[in-house]
Amino acid sequence: MGMMKRTLLAGVSVLGMAFAGAAMAAGVTDADLLADGVNAKQVVTNGLGLAAHRYSPLTQINTSTVKNLVPAWSFSFGGEKQRGQQGQAVVHDGVIYITGSYSRLFAIDAKTGEKIWEYDARLPEGIMPCCDVVNRGAALFGDKVYFTTLDAQIYALEAKTGKVVWHKAIDDFKAGYSNTAAPLIVPTKANGTLIVTGVSGGEFGVVGRVEARNVDTGELVWSRPTLEGLTGTYQGKETTMTGKANETWSGDMYKTGGGATWLGGTYDPDTKMVFFGTGNPAPWNSWLRPGDNKWTSSRLAINPENGELVWGFQTTPHDGWDYDGVNEFIPFEMTKDGKTVKAGATADRNGFFYVLDRTNGKFISAMPFVSKITWAKGIDASGRPIYDEAMRPGDPTKSEDGKKGKEVFAVPSFLGGKNQMPMAYSDQSKLFYVPSNEWGMDIHNEPVVYKKGAAYLGAGFNIKPIFDDHIGSLKAIDPVAQKVVWEYKNKAPLWAGVLTTAGGLVFTGNPEGYLLAFDAKNGEVLWKFNVGTGIVAPPISWEQDGEQLVGVAAGWGGAVPLWGGEVAKTFKGINQGGSYWVFKLAPKSATK
């Protein structure tokens, strides 16, 4: 995706005052992190568990009672900063921690919706976020709450007060680096509990990497570059090279080659590996960088003990369409032909849904989850795409003027079959619920030269719908049978994450402003509520004082209105906003 073509005003740091009697975090432990998927009284990880199934074991709100769901309270993020709100909240000891646009973090009383404190990062002028001023969530550990900022910093705050304990620079924002993802907290044997982050900024020729820091001090423990030819570090010393130098990159193109890890990662306590996706290679013009360009547009498994690369799987080798491979890799147990496989699944920007052996990255299966894919004819037995070379944007040096290569219509668009909005896996139905979009793009290549801090694309594009009645499509996918079980079509693109529950429900939001609840088995809409602005964030659910609650951030924005081309024109009237909504069952309705 591209650069936001505007300079953003610097933010202002404001610390709110804690009010008397508010519940405060007593401290999150390794055991809390590891139990997050089954402990319904907390949400202390991004994804309702380190594996990010986004599955709640709660059943009070179910297919029978969901019709009685009503708002409990709504909290306004305030100010004039009404931009895309993509954060997933975390909840501990009666306090909700939610990030807002422009790198803000709020602590809210979960019972009343009253603000406990607010922290606004002081953003410098000249930050360069490509795809709106979003933040996707915070992390909790011990007595601290952590989040990253648009100027590529990471902060640790006191959970009780919001005061800064430590903060570190991830990288130089003037070179195009930023950060938007929720950090990942991982327990290790060698170095205790670590906070693991990636980097954003792939459209500026930055180099992707994953790195881990000490949760108490912020000191760097290890770093793993995503591009071959670059060397990792551990405890301040160089370790191994990622891949083999110049095996799939020519010359020194890899030094500005992209591969940003901008969506964050997942962790599998079973195999004890961290999984991160990597973004597009830079520049977009693939004629300038022959070869597979590893490990861009890939999924990587990393040993969190030392940052060593365990395996990689490239979904789009020699990517020429901006099909980032950053989408979440979700570990799950798959029973097939009477055998249980330690699998992992990912719905890629390129339009294909993949299942891999998570122990070694070996390909198991793939299927298209969006319609009319043009760039590839399918996926071969090794998991490699079968390219339709006529659908690769043409080499501009072969054109008459040398400035614009042959234009093609590629499906999906560069915003992907799925983008930042996380899917969910139901431990009950054994289905994945994937928020997807049906669209394509006119795309051509142009000459481009790397310049620090400037957009590094070499492409022009315009996104267009491929169906008259819908763009968004929520799909229930059976990973064993490799088929779509049901589909819900939405007029506008879907950009919100998904939650599924043991009550047989699936929740997501849409740009039209609705939070919707579906029957997980057949996709029937059982309930919906309009929050007054588009929803582009993942819902969560937890138990508070014996009641099941559902929470979601609301606020239209993100990449779609910025880069949606012709598609964006069709829903330009959606109101922006910034708020957090919590829902519960109406009194005396929980058992009816």
Side-chain angles (χ1 to χ4, degrees):
M1 289 179 283
M3 177 182 64
M4 180 179 293
K5 299 176 181 177
R6 64 191 70 190
T7 301
L8 302 170
L9 295 177
V12 179
S13 178
V14 179
L15 279 175
M17 295 177 61
F19 63 83
M24 288 297 176
V28 174
T29 66
D30 284 343
D32 290 328
L33 296 174
L34 294 169
D36 200 35
V38 296
N39 184 351
K41 295 184 178 181
Q42 64 174 29
V43 177
V44 295
T45 61
N46 187 268
L48 285 76
L50 292 168
H53 283 197
R54 298 187 178 274
Y55 172 78
S56 170
L58 292 168
T59 59
Q60 189 182 83
I61 302 171
N62 54 52
T63 54
S64 298
T65 62
V66 69
K67 63 181 181 292
N68 299 313
L69 207 57
V70 296
W73 52 261
S74 177
F75 171 84
S76 172
F77 295 148
E80 297 180 359
K81 300 175 179 180
Q82 306 296 308
R83 299 294 290 267
Q85 309 296 342
Q86 293 183 356
Q88 181 220 289
V90 286
V91 185
H92 189 248
D93 276 3
V95 179
I96 295 172
Y97 301 90
I98 178 65
T99 57
S101 56
Y102 291 94
S103 304
R104 295 175 290 166
L105 177 59
F106 301 86
I108 307 167
D109 188 301
K111 298 178 184 179
T112 65
E114 294 180 67
K115 182 170 71 175
I116 301 172
W117 55 257
E118 173 183 351
Y119 182 83
D120 290 4
R122 294 185 180 273
L123 297 175
E125 292 197 24
I127 58 174
M128 293 177 283
C130 84
C131 312
D132 207 0
V133 289
V134 301
N135 190 285
R136 298 189 177 95
L140 291 170
F141 188 74
D143 58 359
K144 302 179 188 68
V145 56
Y146 307 82
F147 81 125
T148 62
T149 60
L150 288 167
D151 57 340
Q153 308 280 311
I154 181 170
Y155 286 81
L157 310 179
E158 287 183 359
K160 287 186 177 182
T161 65
K163 292 181 179 179
V164 176
V165 179
W166 58 258
H167 105 269
K168 300 287 183 180
I170 294 173
D171 217 306
D172 180 10
F173 72 90
K174 294 179 181 179
Y177 284 92
S178 59
N179 214 286
T180 54
L184 176 68
I185 310 287
V186 176
T188 71
K189 290 182 178 179
N191 296 288
T193 306
L194 302 177
I195 182 166
V196 184
T197 57
V199 294
S200 306
E203 272 52 73
F204 298 92
V206 308
V207 173
R209 67 180 188 270
V210 179
E211 56 190 20
R213 297 176 182 273
N214 180 288
V215 289
D216 294 321
T217 65
E219 293 304 313
L220 189 67
V221 175
W222 56 257
S223 181
R224 171 53 50 191
T226 61
L227 301 186
E228 68 176 29
L230 298 173
T231 302
T233 65
Y234 177 67
Q235 301 288 16
K237 297 180 180 179
E238 288 194 349
T239 55
T240 58
M241 180 179 289
T242 300
K244 182 180 178 182
N246 293 126
E247 184 176 21
T248 69
W249 285 89
S250 298
D252 60 359
M253 288 289 291
Y254 66 93
K255 294 181 179 180
T256 53
T261 46
W262 59 263
L263 198 55
T266 57
Y267 172 70
D268 176 26
D270 186 13
T271 60
K272 293 182 171 52
M273 285 190 278
V274 168
F275 304 108
F276 267 73
T278 66
N280 59 286
W284 287 20
N285 182 347
S286 62
W287 301 98
L288 294 174
R289 43 171 176 78
D292 280 358
N293 311 131
K294 290 181 177 177
W295 286 100
T296 63
S297 300
S298 301
R299 303 306 186 283
L300 304 181
I302 298 170
N303 183 348
E305 298 286 341
N306 52 23
E308 290 298 303
L309 182 64
V310 180
W311 57 256
F313 181 86
Q314 193 169 38
T315 48
T316 314
H318 197 214
D319 180 3
W321 305 267
D322 188 36
Y323 291 153
D324 293 40
V326 295
N327 290 357
E328 65 281 359
F329 182 78
I330 297 182
F332 73 110
E333 304 304 296
M334 185 175 74
T335 302
K336 187 174 183 179
D337 300 328
K339 297 180 180 179
T340 299
V341 180
K342 294 184 185 301
T346 188
D348 199 89
R349 279 257 291 265
N350 69 19
F352 289 92
F353 181 91
Y354 296 81
V355 178
L356 309 178
D357 184 325
R358 71 178 187 266
T359 67
N360 54 25
K362 298 296 184 183
F363 175 74
I364 294 175
S365 62
M367 61 170 277
F369 68 93
V370 293
S371 305
K372 303 184 179 182
I373 292 173
T374 63
W375 68 276
K377 299 175 182 178
I379 306 295
D380 70 17
S382 70
R384 189 178 180 88
I386 305 167
Y387 291 105
D388 185 339
E389 291 299 337
M391 289 295 105
R392 182 179 293 273
D395 184 351
T397 65
K398 303 293 176 62
S399 64
E400 290 185 6
D401 61 3
K403 296 181 179 179
K404 180 179 178 179
K406 184 188 75 169
E407 187 171 80
V408 299
F409 184 68
V411 177
S413 79
F414 72 88
L415 290 181
K418 193 181 86 65
N419 198 280
Q420 61 84 27
M421 53 283 193
M423 66 182 181
Y425 175 72
S426 171
D427 297 355
Q428 183 182 71
S429 70
K430 308 301 181 185
L431 300 177
F432 283 90
Y433 299 94
V434 182
S436 68
N437 289 302
E438 307 277 6
W439 46 19
M441 62 179 172
D442 292 322
I443 181 171
H444 66 269
N445 284 159
E446 304 165 349
V448 67
V449 176
Y450 173 77
K451 181 181 178 181
K452 179 181 176 180
Y456 191 38
L457 301 183
F461 43 80
N462 183 26
I463 296 178
K464 298 177 178 179
I466 59 175
F467 293 109
D468 293 333
D469 64 337
H470 75 286
I471 299 170
S473 169
L474 178 65
K475 295 181 172 77
I477 293 178
D478 183 332
V480 178
Q482 287 280 290
K483 69 176 184 179
V484 174
V485 177
W486 57 258
E487 174 186 14
Y488 171 81
K489 298 177 181 179
N490 196 75
K491 179 67 176 175
L494 292 180
W495 214 248
V498 180
L499 166 74
T500 185
T501 77
L505 297 171
V506 173
F507 289 89
T508 195
N510 66 18
E512 291 90 334
Y514 285 99
L515 179 65
L516 303 109
F518 303 83
D519 188 313
K521 292 181 179 179
N522 56 30
E524 179 185 355
V525 177
L526 301 177
W527 173 89
K528 63 180 181 178
F529 182 89
N530 197 295
V531 298
T533 180
I535 297 175
V536 292
I540 62 169
S541 188
W542 75 100
E543 181 185 315
Q544 185 80 44
D545 299 328
E547 292 183 297
Q548 181 180 356
L549 303 179
V550 174
V552 69
W556 174 236
V560 176
L562 290 173
W563 299 105
E566 289 186 21
V567 166
K569 297 176 184 177
T570 64
F571 46 86
K572 60 183 179 181
I574 296 174
N575 290 328
Q576 288 189 314
S579 55
Y580 198 79
W581 287 77
V582 169
F583 299 86
K584 66 179 182 179
L585 292 176
K588 300 181 181 180
S589 69
T591 59
K592 294 182 180 180

